[in-house]
Amino acid sequence: MHYRTLGRTGIKVSPYALGAMMFGAVGNNDRDESLRMIDKALEAGINFVDTADFYSHGESEEIVGAALKGRREHVVLATKSHLPMGDDPNQRGNSRRWIITAVEDSLRRLQTDYIDLFQMHRPDPDTDIEETLSALTDLIRSGKVRAVGSSATPASEIVEAQWVAERRGLERFRTEQPPYSILNRGIEREVLPMVQKYGMGALVWSPLAQGQLTGRAPADLRRTAIFKHMTDERRLEVVEQLIPVADAAGLKLTHLAMAFAIAHPGVTSAIIGPRTMEHLDDALAGMDVTLDDAILDQLDKIVPPGTDVGRLDMDYDTPAILDASLRRRTITDRAAA
């Protein structure tokens, strides 16, 4: 296993990170199999594990914590908060009030006294970034958190957070966790260049485009009903174009997709999110795949750099997109004359 430096933190991590989203009730109900998958990933040389409080409402963190007993110091452990953890409106978001509580809850579930990388799962338009960074700074100074990061954050907000941290003398985001795959290359335009400019590490999620880049039809009809991109004809057509590229290279489509994700110089690690041992075995089998320039050029022709094929429904939308009043003048002020 080759290891990469996570931004400028000095922390060495594997190019594949084990994502724990599917461990627990939402994904795999077999806790023993989840524990075995974590064991196997660590034995393969993966030393980077990413989870979140929201995953199976804390159960994922509990599983990860149990799996790391006796070897915690050898694993770079990342988790996140922001998404709702209850009906109380203050059990979510990026406020100091919730961040401090969320970290304490995660530490308990993970059975550890420190988190290597604590990330804001999404931006929070209702909370001043200085409030968030101030709370995270205190957590680092207390020793409960080693480094902090953001996730699914627009380039403009990455810059703002870096500027506020410098101006106020606060800890800065050391990492960003954006979606990235052959089908979703939009972050190549601004997000990854900003990550590189500020010396941040990039831990990318959904490199298999939520299973679309396996080349198989989705088996979970619930997911296709919830996520429109799963049945987006544009995306399905591109997948059909990618299959012969992988075949000609003698590669499985999954291995092509993972190798693409970690080939970008701005990407530190790509998250694999296995639900079953079969999924994990397939991911591990492709760890030594290297894509040459000829193959990458073919991919560039199918999906041009810096572009997305449709939209990944799980991605973050800013208030300017979600709130019609922010993109529509009042009815009396819309005419030119």
Side-chain angles (χ1 to χ4, degrees), residues 71-112:
R71 51 187 172 183
R72 168 69 185 89
E73 68 274 17
H74 301 300
V75 174
V76 179
L77 179 57
T79 191
K80 303 179 284 293
S81 77
H82 167 85
L83 298 175
M85 288 297 286
D87 295 331
D88 188 322
N90 287 310
Q91 289 181 299
R92 66 195 71 186
N94 298 353
S95 69
R96 169 181 285 273
R97 187 180 192 274
W98 177 239
I99 287 172
I100 301 299
T101 299
V103 166
E104 295 291 351
D105 290 345
S106 288
L107 289 171
R108 173 177 49 78
R109 288 188 291 261
L110 291 165
Q111 303 181 56
T112 185

Side-chain angles (χ1 to χ4, degrees), residues 81 90 92-104 118 120 124 126-139 141 170:
S81 77
N90 287 310
R92 66 195 71 186
N94 298 353
S95 69
R96 169 181 285 273
R97 187 180 192 274
W98 177 239
I99 287 172
I100 301 299
T101 299
V103 166
E104 295 291 351
F118 187 70
M120 296 294 94
D124 184 358
D126 294 330
T127 305
D128 193 295
I129 187 62
E130 184 174 344
E131 168 88 357
T132 299
L133 292 175
S134 175
L136 295 173
T137 298
D138 288 345
L139 286 166
R141 291 174 179 170
L170 301 172

Side-chain angles (χ1 to χ4, degrees), residues 211-217 239-240 243 253-254:
Q212 287 186 300
L213 290 174
T214 63
R216 301 188 298 268
V239 172
E240 290 299 319
I243 291 172
L253 183 58
T254 51

Side-chain angles (χ1 to χ4, degrees), residues 182-224:
I182 300 172
L183 299 182
N184 289 92
R185 303 183 60 175
I187 65 168
E188 293 174 343
R189 189 171 296 276
E190 291 186 340
V191 171
L192 285 179
M194 286 302 99
V195 164
Q196 292 173 282
K197 178 180 177 65
Y198 289 107
M200 301 169 68
L203 173 61
V204 301
W205 55 271
S206 201
L208 298 183
Q210 285 198 297
Q212 287 186 300
L213 290 174
T214 63
R216 301 188 298 268
D220 191 339
L221 297 180
R222 294 174 302 170
R223 295 176 69 195
T224 58

Side-chain angles (χ1 to χ4, degrees), residues 2-17:
H2 302 292
Y3 295 93
R4 300 173 174 181
T5 305
L6 187 61
R8 293 179 185 159
T9 64
I11 300 171
K12 306 297 182 181
V13 295
S14 48
Y16 280 14

